[in-house]
Amino acid sequence: MKNNKGYRNSEGTESVSQAAKLAVIAGAITTLGDALATIAAGFALEDELKENESKNNDMGKLQKQIDDLNYEMKQLKKMFR
């Protein structure tokens, strides 16, 4: 009977060892997935910042055009007075 119990303990230990190995592998895969998700979020943020910068540049150009038109209108008003 002791042999049977010993065999069961050995099998149980092997089972726990395999479970621990699988847990380590799963943890590594999860960590890799989290790292990839973080990198992807960084790229998305960078793209968003570039897009906002481009929009700000466009707004600056529009504001300059408006200012130029206002100046020209003032000049025309002065001419017709």
Side-chain angles (χ1 to χ4, degrees):
M1 288 191 144
K2 285 186 179 182
N3 287 343
N4 286 342
K5 286 183 181 178
Y7 179 71
R8 287 182 186 166
N9 285 341
S10 165
E11 187 178 300
T13 303
E14 184 178 323
S15 209
V16 168
S17 177
Q18 287 177 345
K21 287 178 186 177
L22 282 175
V24 169
I25 291 170
I29 290 171
T30 300
T31 301
L32 180 61
D34 288 345
L36 289 174
T38 301
I39 291 169
F43 285 148
L45 180 59
E46 191 174 296
D47 288 345
E48 187 69 26
L49 289 174
K50 284 180 183 177
E51 186 177 320
N52 285 343
E53 184 178 318
S54 175
K55 286 181 182 178
N56 285 340
N57 287 340
D58 291 344
M59 291 294 288
K61 289 177 184 176
L62 287 173
Q63 184 62 50
K64 185 178 180 332
Q65 289 176 347
I66 291 170
D67 293 342
D68 290 345
L69 288 172
N70 281 333
Y71 176 77
E72 287 182 26
M73 287 183 67
K74 286 178 184 177
Q75 294 300 319
L76 287 172
K77 283 182 182 179
K78 284 181 184 179
M79 285 176 57
F80 290 114
R81 285 188 184 171

Tab-separated table of all heavy atoms in Angstrom, residues 7 22 24 26 30-31 37-39 41 46-48 51-53 68 75 77-78:
chain	number	residue	atom	x	y	z
A	7	TYR	N	3.333	6.433	-5.197
A	7	TYR	CA	3.112	6.657	-6.623
A	7	TYR	C	2.135	7.815	-6.829
A	7	TYR	O	2.347	8.665	-7.662
A	7	TYR	CB	2.592	5.366	-7.268
A	7	TYR	CG	2.303	5.504	-8.736
A	7	TYR	CD1	3.343	5.622	-9.649
A	7	TYR	CD2	0.992	5.536	-9.211
A	7	TYR	CE1	3.091	5.754	-11.008
A	7	TYR	CE2	0.727	5.674	-10.562
A	7	TYR	CZ	1.782	5.779	-11.452
A	7	TYR	OH	1.527	5.917	-12.793
A	22	LEU	N	2.791	25.846	-16.610
A	22	LEU	CA	1.760	26.485	-17.432
A	22	LEU	C	1.414	27.872	-16.911
A	22	LEU	O	1.195	28.805	-17.691
A	22	LEU	CB	0.502	25.615	-17.483
A	22	LEU	CG	0.563	24.410	-18.415
A	22	LEU	CD1	-0.700	23.573	-18.266
A	22	LEU	CD2	0.720	24.861	-19.853
A	24	VAL	N	3.439	29.903	-15.333
A	24	VAL	CA	4.550	30.796	-15.688
A	24	VAL	C	4.458	31.187	-17.161
A	24	VAL	O	4.617	32.355	-17.528
A	24	VAL	CB	5.910	30.131	-15.375
A	24	VAL	CG1	7.059	30.920	-15.986
A	24	VAL	CG2	6.094	29.991	-13.869
A	26	ALA	N	1.759	31.213	-19.057
A	26	ALA	CA	0.592	32.088	-19.218
A	26	ALA	C	0.917	33.505	-18.740
A	26	ALA	O	0.533	34.493	-19.372
A	26	ALA	CB	-0.603	31.528	-18.453
A	30	THR	N	0.826	36.847	-21.040
A	30	THR	CA	0.015	37.992	-20.611
A	30	THR	C	0.858	39.263	-20.536
A	30	THR	O	0.435	40.333	-20.991
A	30	THR	CB	-0.624	37.706	-19.241
A	30	THR	OG1	-1.450	36.555	-19.355
A	30	THR	CG2	-1.456	38.872	-18.759
A	31	THR	N	2.060	39.132	-19.982
A	31	THR	CA	2.962	40.284	-19.883
A	31	THR	C	3.330	40.800	-21.268
A	31	THR	O	3.343	42.010	-21.505
A	31	THR	CB	4.230	39.892	-19.101
A	31	THR	OG1	3.839	39.447	-17.800
A	31	THR	CG2	5.178	41.066	-18.970
A	37	ALA	N	0.107	46.038	-26.003
A	37	ALA	CA	-1.017	46.968	-25.876
A	37	ALA	C	-0.524	48.362	-25.473
A	37	ALA	O	-1.021	49.375	-25.972
A	37	ALA	CB	-2.024	46.451	-24.849
A	38	THR	N	0.467	48.425	-24.591
A	38	THR	CA	1.025	49.699	-24.167
A	38	THR	C	1.720	50.403	-25.324
A	38	THR	O	1.558	51.617	-25.534
A	38	THR	CB	2.024	49.495	-23.007
A	38	THR	OG1	1.335	48.862	-21.921
A	38	THR	CG2	2.613	50.808	-22.539
A	39	ILE	N	2.470	49.644	-26.117
A	39	ILE	CA	3.147	50.219	-27.290
A	39	ILE	C	2.119	50.742	-28.288
A	39	ILE	O	2.263	51.841	-28.836
A	39	ILE	CB	4.085	49.180	-27.930
A	39	ILE	CG1	5.269	48.900	-26.993
A	39	ILE	CG2	4.585	49.647	-29.292
A	39	ILE	CD1	6.105	47.708	-27.396
A	41	ALA	N	-0.904	51.768	-27.681
A	41	ALA	CA	-1.520	52.976	-27.122
A	41	ALA	C	-0.589	54.176	-27.289
A	41	ALA	O	-1.042	55.288	-27.586
A	41	ALA	CB	-1.853	52.765	-25.651
A	46	GLU	N	0.619	59.231	-30.086
A	46	GLU	CA	1.520	60.009	-30.937
A	46	GLU	C	0.807	60.490	-32.201
A	46	GLU	O	0.944	61.643	-32.604
A	46	GLU	CB	2.715	59.135	-31.313
A	46	GLU	CG	3.853	59.870	-31.959
A	46	GLU	CD	5.042	58.947	-32.169
A	46	GLU	OE1	5.598	58.470	-31.168
A	46	GLU	OE2	5.384	58.714	-33.339
A	47	ASP	N	0.023	59.602	-32.808
A	47	ASP	CA	-0.739	59.985	-34.005
A	47	ASP	C	-1.743	61.087	-33.695
A	47	ASP	O	-1.922	62.027	-34.475
A	47	ASP	CB	-1.470	58.772	-34.589
A	47	ASP	CG	-0.541	57.785	-35.260
A	47	ASP	OD1	0.624	58.155	-35.540
A	47	ASP	OD2	-0.968	56.640	-35.505
A	48	GLU	N	-2.398	60.967	-32.552
A	48	GLU	CA	-3.391	61.977	-32.149
A	48	GLU	C	-2.721	63.333	-31.930
A	48	GLU	O	-3.248	64.365	-32.342
A	48	GLU	CB	-4.103	61.527	-30.867
A	48	GLU	CG	-5.258	62.393	-30.455
A	48	GLU	CD	-6.444	62.299	-31.395
A	48	GLU	OE1	-6.614	61.267	-32.063
A	48	GLU	OE2	-7.208	63.287	-31.460
A	51	GLU	N	-1.927	64.854	-35.267
A	51	GLU	CA	-3.151	65.344	-35.908
A	51	GLU	C	-3.584	66.672	-35.293
A	51	GLU	O	-3.962	67.603	-36.007
A	51	GLU	CB	-4.261	64.306	-35.767
A	51	GLU	CG	-5.525	64.658	-36.509
A	51	GLU	CD	-6.581	63.564	-36.406
A	51	GLU	OE1	-6.221	62.385	-36.472
A	51	GLU	OE2	-7.755	63.933	-36.246
A	52	ASN	N	-3.507	66.757	-33.971
A	52	ASN	CA	-3.875	68.008	-33.288
A	52	ASN	C	-2.924	69.141	-33.667
A	52	ASN	O	-3.356	70.280	-33.849
A	52	ASN	CB	-3.883	67.818	-31.771
A	52	ASN	CG	-5.090	67.056	-31.289
A	52	ASN	OD1	-6.076	66.917	-31.999
A	52	ASN	ND2	-5.011	66.530	-30.084
A	53	GLU	N	-1.646	68.818	-33.789
A	53	GLU	CA	-0.673	69.831	-34.184
A	53	GLU	C	-0.976	70.340	-35.587
A	53	GLU	O	-0.914	71.541	-35.854
A	53	GLU	CB	0.741	69.231	-34.135
A	53	GLU	CG	1.843	70.226	-34.427
A	53	GLU	CD	3.208	69.584	-34.327
A	53	GLU	OE1	3.423	68.798	-33.396
A	53	GLU	OE2	4.048	69.880	-35.181
A	68	ASP	N	-5.480	89.347	-42.097
A	68	ASP	CA	-5.111	90.055	-43.335
A	68	ASP	C	-6.330	90.695	-43.999
A	68	ASP	O	-6.276	91.835	-44.467
A	68	ASP	CB	-4.415	89.100	-44.318
A	68	ASP	CG	-3.030	88.679	-43.852
A	68	ASP	OD1	-2.474	89.324	-42.932
A	68	ASP	OD2	-2.506	87.683	-44.404
A	75	GLN	N	-8.181	99.292	-44.686
A	75	GLN	CA	-7.519	100.123	-45.674
A	75	GLN	C	-8.529	100.637	-46.724
A	75	GLN	O	-8.466	101.804	-47.122
A	75	GLN	CB	-6.384	99.338	-46.372
A	75	GLN	CG	-5.237	98.961	-45.481
A	75	GLN	CD	-4.560	100.155	-44.864
A	75	GLN	OE1	-4.362	101.176	-45.519
A	75	GLN	NE2	-4.236	100.072	-43.602
A	77	LYS	N	-11.769	101.067	-46.242
A	77	LYS	CA	-12.620	102.057	-45.578
A	77	LYS	C	-11.932	103.412	-45.547
A	77	LYS	O	-12.562	104.448	-45.775
A	77	LYS	CB	-12.955	101.606	-44.163
A	77	LYS	CG	-14.016	100.546	-44.080
A	77	LYS	CD	-14.318	100.200	-42.618
A	77	LYS	CE	-15.330	99.107	-42.523
A	77	LYS	NZ	-15.609	98.763	-41.101
A	78	LYS	N	-10.645	103.410	-45.281
A	78	LYS	CA	-9.890	104.664	-45.232
A	78	LYS	C	-9.861	105.319	-46.610
A	78	LYS	O	-9.939	106.548	-46.732
A	78	LYS	CB	-8.459	104.417	-44.760
A	78	LYS	CG	-8.324	104.165	-43.279
A	78	LYS	CD	-6.874	103.952	-42.906
A	78	LYS	CE	-6.743	103.599	-41.429
A	78	LYS	NZ	-5.329	103.357	-41.064
